[in-house]
Amino acid sequence: MSIVEELIEQLREIQREGEAAVAAAGGAQELEALRVEYVGRKGGRLTAVLRRLGELGQDERPAVGAEANRVKDALSALLDQREAGFAVARSGPRVDLTLPGRERWKGGLHPVTQVVEEICDIFRDLGFTRVAGPEVETVEYNFSKLNTPLDHPAADMHDTFYLDDGIVLRTHTSPVQAHVMEQFQPPVRVVVPGAVYRRDPFDASHAPAFEQLEGLAVDEGITFADFKATITAFIHRFFGGAVPVRFRPSFFPFTEPSAEVDVRCQICGGGGCAACKHTGWMEIMGSGMVHPNVFANCGYDPEKYTGYAFGMGPGRIAMQRYGVTDIRLLYEGDMRFLGQFS
Ligand code: 2U9
Protein backbone atom coordinates (compact mmCIF):
# COMPACT_ATOMS: atom_id res chain seq x y z
CA MET A 1 0.00 0.00 0.00
CA SER A 2 1.42 3.44 -0.99
CA ILE A 3 1.63 6.21 1.57
CA VAL A 4 -1.11 8.07 -0.32
CA GLU A 5 -3.44 5.11 -0.07
CA GLU A 6 -2.53 4.61 3.56
CA LEU A 7 -3.30 8.25 4.45
CA ILE A 8 -6.59 8.25 2.54
CA GLU A 9 -7.57 5.06 4.34
CA GLN A 10 -6.69 6.72 7.67
CA LEU A 11 -8.79 9.74 6.78
CA ARG A 12 -11.82 7.55 5.98
CA GLU A 13 -11.33 5.68 9.24
CA ILE A 14 -11.31 9.03 11.09
CA GLN A 15 -14.55 9.95 9.31
CA ARG A 16 -16.25 6.64 10.27
CA GLU A 17 -15.16 6.90 13.90
CA GLY A 18 -16.01 10.59 14.08
CA GLU A 19 -19.50 10.04 12.67
CA ALA A 20 -20.19 7.28 15.18
CA ALA A 21 -18.86 9.38 18.08
CA VAL A 22 -20.86 12.47 17.09
CA ALA A 23 -24.03 10.40 16.68
CA ALA A 24 -23.52 8.91 20.15
CA ALA A 25 -22.71 12.20 21.89
CA GLY A 26 -25.03 12.95 24.80
CA GLY A 27 -24.62 16.70 25.12
CA ALA A 28 -23.15 19.95 23.87
CA GLN A 29 -19.99 19.62 25.97
CA GLU A 30 -19.27 16.17 24.62
CA LEU A 31 -19.72 17.53 21.09
CA GLU A 32 -17.22 20.33 21.78
CA ALA A 33 -14.68 17.77 22.96
CA LEU A 34 -15.23 15.72 19.79
CA ARG A 35 -14.79 18.87 17.66
CA VAL A 36 -11.38 19.44 19.27
CA GLU A 37 -10.44 15.76 18.98
CA TYR A 38 -11.34 15.38 15.31
CA VAL A 39 -11.16 18.72 13.50
CA GLY A 40 -9.24 20.90 15.99
CA ARG A 41 -6.38 22.89 14.43
CA LYS A 42 -3.90 21.89 17.07
CA GLY A 43 -3.69 18.25 17.98
CA GLY A 44 -6.80 17.19 16.09
CA ARG A 45 -6.70 13.80 14.42
CA LEU A 46 -7.14 15.29 10.94
CA THR A 47 -4.32 17.75 11.57
CA ALA A 48 -2.11 14.81 12.57
CA VAL A 49 -2.69 13.20 9.19
CA LEU A 50 -2.09 16.45 7.33
CA ARG A 51 1.29 16.83 9.06
CA ARG A 52 2.43 13.79 7.13
CA LEU A 53 1.81 15.54 3.80
CA GLY A 54 5.51 16.42 3.95
CA GLU A 55 6.35 12.79 3.39
CA LEU A 56 4.63 12.94 -0.01
CA GLY A 57 5.79 14.13 -3.39
CA GLN A 58 4.45 17.44 -4.74
CA ASP A 59 2.05 15.67 -7.14
CA GLU A 60 0.71 13.34 -4.46
CA ARG A 61 -0.30 16.01 -1.96
CA PRO A 62 -3.48 17.40 -3.65
CA ALA A 63 -5.37 14.09 -3.53
CA VAL A 64 -4.74 13.62 0.20
CA GLY A 65 -5.40 17.30 0.95
CA ALA A 66 -8.71 17.20 -0.92
CA GLU A 67 -9.78 14.06 0.92
CA ALA A 68 -8.84 15.65 4.27
CA ASN A 69 -10.97 18.72 3.42
CA ARG A 70 -13.92 16.54 2.46
CA VAL A 71 -13.72 14.61 5.75
CA LYS A 72 -13.35 17.83 7.73
CA ASP A 73 -16.40 19.40 6.02
CA ALA A 74 -18.50 16.28 6.56
CA LEU A 75 -17.61 16.01 10.26
CA SER A 76 -17.99 19.76 10.86
CA ALA A 77 -21.46 19.72 9.27
CA LEU A 78 -22.49 16.79 11.43
CA LEU A 79 -21.16 18.50 14.58
CA ASP A 80 -23.04 21.71 13.70
CA GLN A 81 -26.26 19.84 13.07
CA ARG A 82 -26.22 18.01 16.42
CA GLU A 83 -25.13 21.13 18.25
CA ALA A 84 -28.17 23.00 16.84
CA GLY A 85 -30.39 20.18 18.05
CA PHE A 86 -29.06 20.50 21.60
CA ALA A 87 -29.46 24.30 21.46
CA VAL A 88 -33.20 23.95 20.60
CA ALA A 89 -33.66 21.38 23.35
CA ARG A 90 -32.04 23.79 25.83
CA SER A 91 -34.34 26.65 24.79
CA GLY A 92 -37.47 24.88 26.01
CA PRO A 93 -40.55 23.72 24.09
CA ARG A 94 -40.25 23.87 20.35
CA VAL A 95 -42.19 26.68 18.71
CA ASP A 96 -43.22 26.38 15.08
CA LEU A 97 -42.92 29.97 13.89
CA THR A 98 -44.38 29.03 10.50
CA LEU A 99 -47.80 28.17 11.96
CA PRO A 100 -50.51 30.68 10.99
CA GLY A 101 -51.59 32.93 13.89
CA ARG A 102 -54.74 32.17 15.88
CA GLU A 103 -57.49 34.60 14.92
CA ARG A 104 -58.80 36.59 17.86
CA TRP A 105 -62.56 36.17 18.42
CA LYS A 106 -64.12 39.58 18.13
CA GLY A 107 -67.39 40.24 19.86
CA GLY A 108 -70.00 42.31 18.07
CA LEU A 109 -73.41 43.83 18.51
CA HIS A 110 -76.45 41.86 17.39
CA PRO A 111 -77.94 43.38 14.19
CA VAL A 112 -81.14 44.24 16.09
CA THR A 113 -79.08 45.97 18.80
CA GLN A 114 -77.19 47.90 16.10
CA VAL A 115 -80.48 49.19 14.68
CA VAL A 116 -81.76 50.09 18.19
CA GLU A 117 -78.56 52.04 18.90
CA GLU A 118 -78.76 53.92 15.59
CA ILE A 119 -82.40 54.86 16.13
CA CYS A 120 -81.76 56.03 19.71
CA ASP A 121 -78.72 58.06 18.56
CA ILE A 122 -80.84 59.91 16.00
CA PHE A 123 -83.65 60.59 18.47
CA ARG A 124 -81.14 61.76 21.06
CA ASP A 125 -80.06 64.45 18.58
CA LEU A 126 -83.77 65.34 18.21
CA GLY A 127 -84.07 65.86 21.99
CA PHE A 128 -85.43 62.47 23.12
CA THR A 129 -84.28 60.66 26.28
CA ARG A 130 -83.86 56.88 26.25
CA VAL A 131 -85.75 55.07 29.02
CA ALA A 132 -86.42 51.46 29.99
CA GLY A 133 -89.06 49.77 32.14
CA PRO A 134 -90.30 46.37 33.36
CA GLU A 135 -91.17 43.50 31.00
CA VAL A 136 -93.70 42.17 33.50
CA GLU A 137 -96.71 44.48 33.72
CA THR A 138 -100.24 44.72 34.99
CA VAL A 139 -103.21 44.50 32.66
CA GLU A 140 -103.98 48.05 33.78
CA TYR A 141 -100.72 49.50 32.41
CA ASN A 142 -100.43 47.23 29.38
CA PHE A 143 -104.06 47.64 28.23
CA SER A 144 -106.51 49.74 30.29
CA LYS A 145 -104.52 52.96 30.65
CA LEU A 146 -103.78 52.79 26.92
CA ASN A 147 -107.45 53.01 26.03
CA THR A 148 -107.58 49.31 25.20
CA PRO A 149 -110.06 47.48 27.44
CA LEU A 150 -109.62 43.71 27.25
CA ASP A 151 -112.98 43.35 25.48
CA HIS A 152 -111.89 45.75 22.76
CA PRO A 153 -111.25 43.95 19.42
CA ALA A 154 -107.80 45.60 19.22
CA ALA A 155 -106.76 43.62 22.32
CA ASP A 156 -106.95 40.41 20.26
CA MET A 157 -103.77 41.35 18.37
CA HIS A 158 -102.02 41.68 21.69
CA ASP A 159 -102.89 38.32 23.22
CA THR A 160 -100.06 37.56 25.61
CA PHE A 161 -98.75 35.36 28.41
CA TYR A 162 -100.59 35.66 31.71
CA LEU A 163 -98.25 35.11 34.65
CA ASP A 164 -100.84 35.61 37.36
CA ASP A 165 -104.25 37.19 37.72
CA GLY A 166 -103.89 40.62 36.14
CA ILE A 167 -100.11 40.22 35.54
CA VAL A 168 -98.81 39.85 31.99
CA LEU A 169 -95.67 39.94 29.89
CA ARG A 170 -95.98 43.33 28.20
CA THR A 171 -97.14 43.24 24.56
CA HIS A 172 -95.59 46.63 23.76
CA THR A 173 -93.31 49.08 25.55
CA SER A 174 -96.20 51.61 25.89
CA PRO A 175 -96.69 50.93 29.66
CA VAL A 176 -93.24 52.50 30.17
CA GLN A 177 -94.52 55.75 28.63
CA ALA A 178 -97.55 55.57 30.94
CA HIS A 179 -95.17 55.33 33.94
CA VAL A 180 -93.10 58.24 32.56
CA MET A 181 -96.19 60.44 32.29
CA GLU A 182 -97.18 59.60 35.85
CA GLN A 183 -93.73 60.52 37.14
CA PHE A 184 -92.81 63.54 35.00
CA GLN A 185 -94.70 66.60 33.89
CA PRO A 186 -94.47 67.81 30.26
CA PRO A 187 -92.50 68.57 28.22
CA VAL A 188 -91.68 64.88 27.78
CA ARG A 189 -89.73 63.39 24.92
CA VAL A 190 -88.70 59.73 25.32
CA VAL A 191 -87.73 56.70 23.25
CA VAL A 192 -88.25 53.26 24.77
CA PRO A 193 -86.54 50.21 23.27
CA GLY A 194 -87.13 46.78 24.77
CA ALA A 195 -88.37 43.22 24.49
CA VAL A 196 -92.09 42.59 24.15
CA TYR A 197 -94.15 39.38 24.11
CA ARG A 198 -97.13 38.14 22.15
CA ARG A 199 -98.98 34.86 21.89
CA ASP A 200 -97.74 34.35 18.32
CA PRO A 201 -96.27 31.28 16.61
CA PHE A 202 -92.50 31.29 15.99
CA ASP A 203 -92.53 31.25 12.18
CA ALA A 204 -90.78 33.11 9.35
CA SER A 205 -92.69 36.34 10.04
CA HIS A 206 -93.64 36.12 13.78
CA ALA A 207 -91.79 35.70 17.03
CA PRO A 208 -93.34 35.26 20.50
CA ALA A 209 -90.67 37.62 21.88
CA PHE A 210 -89.23 40.46 19.85
CA GLU A 211 -87.66 43.90 20.13
CA GLN A 212 -89.77 47.02 19.90
CA LEU A 213 -88.96 50.70 20.02
CA GLU A 214 -91.58 53.29 20.84
CA GLY A 215 -91.47 57.04 21.24
CA LEU A 216 -93.59 59.72 22.91
CA ALA A 217 -93.50 63.53 22.77
CA VAL A 218 -95.91 65.61 24.88
CA ASP A 219 -96.09 69.36 25.39
CA GLU A 220 -98.45 72.29 25.01
CA GLY A 221 -99.23 73.00 21.38
CA ILE A 222 -97.66 69.93 19.70
CA THR A 223 -99.40 69.37 16.35
CA PHE A 224 -99.59 66.76 13.64
CA ALA A 225 -97.15 68.96 11.68
CA ASP A 226 -94.51 68.59 14.45
CA PHE A 227 -95.11 64.86 14.35
CA LYS A 228 -94.69 64.59 10.55
CA ALA A 229 -91.59 66.81 10.55
CA THR A 230 -89.86 64.92 13.37
CA ILE A 231 -90.62 61.48 11.94
CA THR A 232 -89.54 62.59 8.45
CA ALA A 233 -86.27 64.00 9.87
CA PHE A 234 -85.65 60.69 11.61
CA ILE A 235 -86.35 58.65 8.46
CA HIS A 236 -84.12 60.86 6.32
CA ARG A 237 -81.25 60.37 8.75
CA PHE A 238 -81.81 56.66 9.24
CA PHE A 239 -82.32 55.71 5.59
CA GLY A 240 -80.14 58.46 4.13
CA GLY A 241 -80.82 61.43 1.88
CA ALA A 242 -84.36 62.52 1.10
CA VAL A 243 -86.04 59.12 0.68
CA PRO A 244 -89.77 59.45 -0.05
CA VAL A 245 -91.98 58.97 3.04
CA ARG A 246 -95.75 58.56 3.19
CA PHE A 247 -98.26 58.63 6.05
CA ARG A 248 -101.28 56.32 5.63
CA PRO A 249 -104.40 56.58 7.81
CA SER A 250 -104.72 53.74 10.30
CA PHE A 251 -106.22 52.86 13.66
CA PHE A 252 -104.73 52.28 17.12
CA PRO A 253 -106.78 52.56 20.30
CA PHE A 254 -104.14 54.79 21.96
CA THR A 255 -103.76 57.34 19.13
CA GLU A 256 -106.24 59.51 17.24
CA PRO A 257 -105.75 60.22 14.42
CA SER A 258 -103.41 57.29 13.68
CA ALA A 259 -101.06 56.71 10.78
CA GLU A 260 -98.81 54.08 9.41
CA VAL A 261 -95.52 55.36 8.04
CA ASP A 262 -94.03 53.92 4.87
CA VAL A 263 -90.66 54.57 3.26
CA ARG A 264 -89.68 53.98 -0.37
CA CYS A 265 -88.67 50.29 -0.69
CA GLN A 266 -84.94 50.12 0.02
CA ILE A 267 -84.52 46.90 -1.98
CA CYS A 268 -86.16 47.77 -5.34
CA GLY A 269 -86.22 51.58 -5.12
CA GLY A 270 -89.99 51.64 -5.72
CA GLY A 271 -90.27 49.49 -8.84
CA GLY A 272 -91.84 46.62 -6.91
CA CYS A 273 -90.27 43.45 -5.54
CA ALA A 274 -91.05 40.50 -3.27
CA ALA A 275 -89.69 42.37 -0.20
CA CYS A 276 -92.29 45.17 -0.54
CA LYS A 277 -95.02 42.87 -1.85
CA HIS A 278 -94.83 44.83 -5.13
CA THR A 279 -96.11 48.05 -3.55
CA GLY A 280 -92.82 49.98 -3.82
CA TRP A 281 -93.19 50.93 -0.11
CA MET A 282 -91.99 49.45 3.17
CA GLU A 283 -94.03 49.91 6.31
CA ILE A 284 -91.70 50.93 9.12
CA MET A 285 -93.85 52.25 11.94
CA GLY A 286 -97.26 52.88 13.42
CA SER A 287 -97.97 56.27 14.95
CA GLY A 288 -100.43 59.01 15.74
CA MET A 289 -101.51 61.80 18.06
CA VAL A 290 -101.90 60.49 21.62
CA HIS A 291 -105.58 59.81 22.42
CA PRO A 292 -107.00 62.26 25.03
CA ASN A 293 -108.26 59.28 27.08
CA VAL A 294 -104.65 58.08 27.45
CA PHE A 295 -103.58 61.49 28.79
CA ALA A 296 -106.47 61.49 31.26
CA ASN A 297 -105.62 57.92 32.39
CA CYS A 298 -101.99 58.92 33.04
CA GLY A 299 -102.69 62.20 34.89
CA TYR A 300 -102.14 64.78 32.10
CA ASP A 301 -104.81 67.34 31.32
CA PRO A 302 -106.02 66.49 27.78
CA GLU A 303 -107.29 70.06 27.36
CA LYS A 304 -103.82 71.46 28.00
CA TYR A 305 -101.48 68.96 26.38
CA THR A 306 -101.14 67.29 23.00
CA GLY A 307 -98.49 64.94 21.70
CA TYR A 308 -97.55 62.18 19.31
CA ALA A 309 -96.43 58.59 19.73
CA PHE A 310 -94.92 56.00 17.45
CA GLY A 311 -93.81 52.39 17.53
CA MET A 312 -91.55 50.30 15.35
CA GLY A 313 -89.91 46.87 15.23
CA PRO A 314 -86.10 47.17 14.97
CA GLY A 315 -86.01 43.46 14.00
CA ARG A 316 -88.25 44.11 11.02
CA ILE A 317 -86.17 47.14 10.04
CA ALA A 318 -82.96 45.05 10.28
CA MET A 319 -84.62 42.41 8.06
CA GLN A 320 -85.60 45.02 5.47
CA ARG A 321 -82.14 46.54 5.56
CA TYR A 322 -80.20 43.29 5.18
CA GLY A 323 -82.72 41.36 3.05
CA VAL A 324 -83.36 38.74 5.75
CA THR A 325 -86.57 36.81 4.98
CA ASP A 326 -86.95 34.69 8.14
CA ILE A 327 -87.29 36.51 11.49
CA ARG A 328 -86.16 33.38 13.38
CA LEU A 329 -82.59 33.99 12.18
CA LEU A 330 -82.55 37.14 14.34
CA TYR A 331 -83.61 35.41 17.53
CA GLU A 332 -81.98 31.95 17.34
CA GLY A 333 -78.38 32.89 18.23
CA ASP A 334 -76.75 31.04 15.31
CA MET A 335 -73.21 32.46 15.06
CA ARG A 336 -72.92 31.54 11.35
CA PHE A 337 -75.65 34.15 10.79
CA LEU A 338 -74.79 36.67 13.52
CA GLY A 339 -71.04 36.65 12.73
CA GLN A 340 -71.82 38.44 9.46
CA PHE A 341 -72.90 41.58 11.29
CA SER A 342 -69.92 42.27 13.55
C1 2U9 B 1 -98.65 55.93 24.91
C2 2U9 B 1 -99.46 56.47 23.94
C3 2U9 B 1 -99.40 56.04 22.66
C4 2U9 B 1 -97.37 53.86 20.57
C5 2U9 B 1 -97.68 53.40 19.20
C6 2U9 B 1 -97.78 52.10 17.41
C7 2U9 B 1 -98.55 53.13 16.99
C8 2U9 B 1 -97.49 50.89 16.58
C9 2U9 B 1 -96.33 48.83 16.37
C10 2U9 B 1 -95.24 49.01 15.40
C11 2U9 B 1 -94.70 47.68 15.01
C12 2U9 B 1 -95.90 47.79 17.31
O1 2U9 B 1 -93.62 46.58 17.03
S1 2U9 B 1 -94.87 46.71 16.42
O2 2U9 B 1 -95.60 45.55 16.14
N1 2U9 B 1 -96.63 50.04 17.09
O3 2U9 B 1 -98.03 50.74 15.51
N2 2U9 B 1 -97.26 52.24 18.64
S2 2U9 B 1 -98.60 54.30 18.18
O4 2U9 B 1 -98.41 54.66 21.02
C13 2U9 B 1 -98.48 55.05 22.31
C14 2U9 B 1 -97.66 54.52 23.26
C15 2U9 B 1 -97.75 54.96 24.57
C16 2U9 B 1 -98.74 56.41 26.32
Side-chain angles (χ1 to χ4, degrees):
M1 199 192 270
S2 69
I3 299 180
V4 171
E5 285 168 342
E6 191 190 320
L7 292 181
I8 286 180
E9 185 45 46
Q10 274 182 25
L11 288 168
R12 291 189 179 156
E13 181 60 24
I14 289 169
Q15 181 177 5
R16 279 192 292 276
E17 286 178 22
E19 283 172 351
V22 171
Q29 277 187 332
E30 218 173 303
L31 278 180
E32 201 41 49
L34 289 172
R35 194 185 287 279
V36 173
E37 177 181 345
Y38 282 88
V39 297
R41 266 182 224 284
K42 293 185 218 151
R45 289 175 63 174
L46 280 175
T47 313
V49 174
L50 289 172
R51 284 220 185 88
R52 294 186 58 192
L53 284 182
E55 297 170 28
L56 299 175
Q58 284 289 349
D59 54 340
E60 291 171 323
R61 289 177 192 172
V64 178
E67 185 65 8
N69 279 336
R70 193 190 61 73
V71 171
K72 185 180 178 192
D73 288 348
L75 283 178
S76 297
L78 205 61
L79 283 158
D80 290 348
Q81 191 186 331
R82 287 227 62 204
E83 205 168 72
F86 284 123
V88 169
R90 262 202 314 278
S91 67
R94 297 180 75 152
V95 177
D96 184 349
L97 297 174
T98 66
L99 279 176
R102 289 196 192 108
E103 202 179 335
R104 234 200 302 141
W105 187 80
K106 292 196 291 288
L109 293 180
H110 190 285
V112 173
T113 308
Q114 292 181 27
V115 168
V116 168
E117 296 300 315
E118 273 181 54
I119 295 173
C120 288
D121 281 353
I122 295 170
F123 276 105
R124 187 189 50 216
D125 289 354
L126 294 169
F128 286 70
T129 304
R130 178 178 179 159
V131 295
E135 293 178 19
V136 174
E137 271 294 352
T138 59
V139 167
E140 189 191 3
Y141 278 85
N142 194 78
F143 294 111
S144 316
K145 278 185 185 282
L146 294 156
N147 205 32
T148 316
L150 280 182
D151 58 359
H152 192 286
D156 288 356
M157 283 204 317
H158 287 239
D159 200 4
T160 183
F161 300 92
Y162 282 76
L163 302 179
D164 210 341
D165 204 20
I167 307 289
V168 294
L169 290 182
R170 68 182 182 191
T171 60
H172 43 187
T173 64
S174 315
V176 180
Q177 291 96 290
H179 291 301
V180 166
M181 287 196 281
E182 290 179 341
Q183 286 167 35
F184 301 91
Q185 286 304 301
V188 154
R189 280 192 296 270
V190 290
V191 277
V192 190
V196 301
Y197 303 85
R198 301 224 178 141
R199 200 188 146 279
D200 274 338
F202 203 12
D203 62 27
S205 51
H206 299 85
F210 60 98
E211 186 76 7
Q212 203 184 50
L213 193 152
E214 292 194 343
L216 172 73
V218 186
D219 202 353
E220 283 181 56
I222 290 189
T223 68
F224 201 75
D226 296 311
F227 158 65
K228 286 184 76 175
T230 307
I231 294 302
T232 303
F234 158 71
I235 289 173
H236 285 171
R237 263 196 64 189
F238 185 84
F239 290 96
V243 284
V245 180
R246 83 177 175 183
F247 294 77
R248 255 184 311 115
S250 185
F251 171 81
F252 303 104
F254 26 80
T255 48
E256 182 61 34
S258 304
E260 257 155 292
V261 184
D262 297 342
V263 59
R264 175 65 80 227
C265 177
Q266 297 298 291
I267 307 280
C268 67
C273 68
C276 63
K277 298 199 188 85
H278 301 280
T279 62
W281 296 94
M282 278 178 167
E283 183 188 316
I284 57 157
M285 67 169 86
S287 57
M289 301 303 288
V290 178
H291 197 292
N293 290 354
V294 174
F295 282 145
N297 294 340
C298 298
Y300 282 4
D301 179 356
E303 297 297 325
K304 188 170 176 198
Y305 297 113
T306 52
Y308 56 86
F310 51 90
M312 54 192 133
R316 257 176 225 292
I317 293 173
M319 287 171 74
Q320 289 166 358
R321 174 187 270 184
Y322 300 115
V324 177
T325 52
D326 191 325
I327 197 170
R328 287 169 293 197
L329 285 165
L330 294 178
Y331 298 115
E332 265 168 356
D334 186 336
M335 285 309 295
R336 290 171 302 179
F337 172 76
L338 296 176
Q340 301 174 66
F341 299 94
S342 52

